[in-house]
Amino acid sequence: EAGVAQSPRYKIIEKRQSVAFWCNPISGHATLYWYQQILGQGPKLLIQFQNNGVVDDSQLPKDRFSAERLKGVDSTLKIQPAKLEDSAVYLCASSLDTASGGGYTFGSGTRLTVV
Amino acid sequence: GQQLNQSPQSMFIQEGEDVSMNCTSSSIFNTWLWYKQDPGEGPVLLIALYKAGELTSNGRLTAQFGTTRKDSFLNISASIPSDVGIYFCAGQDGGSNYKLTFGKGTLLTVNP
């Protein structure tokens, strides 16, 4: 089966600019996650969708970050305006359902550099 | 919030040696997972553990779910150069929408 697709792979922007990332999960996976991975750290959950509804966005900086999953398939994550500390790899993952345990599949990520 | 302490932070070993790494938590998890991340890629699941005391193997990898449910261990036997990468533990809490909490990772370098 095809994996989780993410684009772009790399993005360099200046601070205060805006940026958007796109994710296409594995077909049939109802649950979609966005994680932020800062260099030298483990991934940190930003937002979790179940179909097109938000299940958990408690760690999403809502003053600058937004995400949507229209039609319960693809998802976009936006940052506006970006700060230097947003430099990180943004990973998208999907699973069949919320309680899939080890059933997460991660994409290759988008590496964002804010200068 | 929940925190995972993963150790060691990094390891530099010779090919053929065995490796051990562990993860401890301030709170209980229902599931422990071990991932490997290669440069420029997302984490890939190695082993999933679902029950306290469970010992599971995947080839040269063996992982254990601690009896207190607050820790887990990963062992790699007879390391080879392609074992190089960052290994992450992750705990899954059944009460928080099953989200994963990750450790900071162990960077493994294998000298041929």
Side-chain angles (χ1 to χ4, degrees):
Chain A
E1 64 180 2
V4 176
Q6 288 190 248
S7 67
R9 285 301 306 270
Y10 306 93
K11 191 75 179 178
I12 300 175
I13 63 171
E14 294 183 349
K15 59 185 179 185
R16 291 188 288 273
Q17 285 187 324
S18 62
V19 65
F21 314 126
W22 173 81
C23 173
N24 181 233
I26 291 175
S27 178
H29 279 196
T31 310
L32 184 147
Y33 315 81
W34 284 102
Y35 280 81
Q36 180 192 56
Q37 186 176 21
I38 293 171
L39 187 64
Q41 307 267 336
K44 184 186 84 171
L45 180 69
L46 292 176
I47 189 167
Q48 176 181 343
F49 291 94
Q50 180 74 9
N51 297 308
N52 60 350
V54 175
V55 173
D56 185 348
D57 63 357
S58 57
Q59 297 189 88
L60 186 75
K62 298 179 188 63
D63 58 333
R64 298 183 299 105
F65 285 64
S66 64
E68 59 182 10
R69 191 183 183 198
L70 299 176
K71 301 181 182 178
V73 182
D74 293 5
S75 177
T76 55
L77 176 69
K78 296 179 182 177
I79 308 175
Q80 182 180 12
K83 292 185 175 181
L84 295 176
E85 59 260 37
D86 297 332
S87 294
V89 175
Y90 291 84
L91 294 163
C92 179
S94 69
S95 63
L96 275 173
D97 56 50
T98 301
S100 285
Y104 277 54
T105 301
F106 283 87
S108 297
T110 295
R111 180 175 296 278
L112 173 67
T113 303
V114 183
V115 298
Chain B
Q2 294 164 329
Q3 292 189 351
L4 294 188
N5 295 310
Q6 186 172 347
S7 65
Q9 276 190 311
S10 62
M11 302 182 74
F12 188 93
I13 62 171
Q14 295 294 124
E15 183 176 359
E17 289 183 349
D18 297 344
V19 171
S20 290
M21 58 191 78
N22 70 81
C23 213
T24 59
S25 169
S26 57
S27 53
I28 290 171
F29 286 112
N30 292 333
T31 302
W32 279 97
L33 305 152
W34 285 92
Y35 287 85
K36 180 181 181 230
Q37 187 173 27
D38 291 327
E41 300 296 328
V44 173
L45 181 67
L46 298 174
I47 292 181
L49 303 155
Y50 299 103
K51 210 163 51 172
E54 179 181 353
L55 185 71
T56 297
S57 293
N58 178 8
R60 295 177 295 106
L61 276 61
T62 302
Q64 184 161 25
F65 192 142
T67 54
T68 66
R69 295 169 63 195
K70 290 185 177 182
D71 56 3
S72 181
F73 306 87
L74 175 70
N75 296 313
I76 305 173
S77 62
S79 59
I80 58 178
S82 61
D83 290 335
V84 164
I86 304 176
Y87 291 79
F88 290 100
C89 62
Q92 187 172 44
D93 178 358
S96 299
N97 296 314
Y98 297 89
K99 73 178 182 184
L100 296 186
T101 300
F102 282 84
K104 291 188 175 182
T106 295
L107 173 62
L108 178 64
T109 304
V110 179
N111 190 30

